[in-house]
Amino acid sequence: MNVSMHAIRGFRMRRQHLIERAPAGTMLEAVEAVHGIQAQVNAHAIFAIAQRVDKLNVSEIDRALWTDQTLLKTWAMRGTVHWLPASEEPLFRSGLIPLRGPWLDRWFVREIESAADRQLLIDVVLDVLADGPLPRSEIAARAVPRIGDWAEPWLTDGWGGAYHTMCNYGLVVFGPTVNNAPTFARRDTYAHLPPIEPSSEAAFELIRRYLRSFGPATVQDATYWL
């Protein structure tokens, strides 16, 4: 079957609401059509959604993220920050862990050789966050005395540190910004999110959804997206 690049681009743009915007009030459906909006830079993510939804108000995004919790901010594909629909996040997490888990484990083990130290770091952070979201500085202030000074860089690193790994394993997500500082929250405090169970079938479904919006694609294309 021969398909021109012009037709491929048209298919992708139409599926992603870049030819005709989705109707006002359908933001979540538009984000689902793209299967996550990269949100390393907040302004870029807002722009990406605004191109896809008619008459979008930024307050709709904030409400979905921090009030309704129907949109989650977390690390996902390519190890980058994304806004994922809460309806898809469990599937994405279950599918990404088998695909990216070995890479995450190699990195975490290489940087913190002791399995006991790795588990202590995770356990203490989750305990500190039991009462609600906190910024990095506050998490470090409460956790370092219980873990040791070696943990401070892992808890204050603006590029991710321990939170990157914990997000990728479905333990924490981003919380609302406080005084221009991001916070982190325990994922299990979001009552509508089921526990994460790594699944090879979820990985297949991840690729199917990718193809619905970005196909036709090569194996290399899908790998790059992941």
Side-chain angles (χ1 to χ4, degrees), residues 1 11 14 21 33-34 46-47 60 70 73 77 80 94-95 105 107-108 115 131 137 177 195-196 198 210 218:
M1 179 179 179
F11 171 84
R14 188 169 297 281
R21 282 186 171 95
V34 190
I46 293 171
F47 179 80
E60 292 179 55
T70 51
K73 183 177 180 180
M77 292 79 74
T80 57
S94 294
D105 289 341
W107 175 78
F108 207 32
D131 293 330
S137 58
T177 299
I196 298 299
Y210 166 75
T218 65

Side-chain angles (χ1 to χ4, degrees), residues 24-58:
T26 62
M27 181 190 70
L28 288 174
E29 290 85 345
V31 176
E32 286 175 0
V34 190
H35 308 298
I37 295 289
Q38 188 164 326
Q40 291 283 115
V41 179
N42 198 58
H44 292 179
I46 293 171
F47 179 80
I49 297 181
Q51 297 310 298
R52 294 169 164 85
V53 184
D54 194 32
K55 300 177 182 177
L56 180 72
N57 190 304
V58 175

Side-chain angles (χ1 to χ4, degrees), residues 126-203:
L126 291 176
D127 188 52
V128 165
L129 292 175
D131 293 330
L134 292 171
R136 289 181 173 93
S137 58
E138 185 63 28
I139 295 172
R142 299 186 188 191
V144 169
R146 297 170 56 182
I147 305 173
D149 291 341
W150 66 267
E152 184 169 4
W154 285 89
L155 301 176
T156 57
D157 182 7
W159 287 103
Y163 311 109
H164 179 274
T165 296
M166 294 179 72
C167 275
N168 275 289
Y169 275 110
L171 299 173
V172 299
V173 295
F174 279 83
T177 299
V178 176
N179 296 325
N180 293 321
T183 66
F184 292 91
R186 286 175 56 149
R187 184 186 176 278
D188 60 10
T189 62
Y190 288 45
H192 57 288
L193 295 176
I196 298 299
E197 296 182 6
S199 163
S200 58
E201 178 54 36

Side-chain angles (χ1 to χ4, degrees), residues 63-96:
R63 184 170 65 252
L65 282 166
W66 315 126
T67 303
D68 300 338
Q69 297 176 345
T70 51
L71 202 59
L72 301 181
K73 183 177 180 180
T74 185
W75 274 281
M77 292 79 74
R78 301 181 298 284
T80 57
V81 177
H82 277 72
W83 290 342
L84 295 179
S87 60
E88 289 192 318
E89 189 267 355
L91 170 74
F92 272 62
R93 197 55 68 205
S94 294
L96 285 169

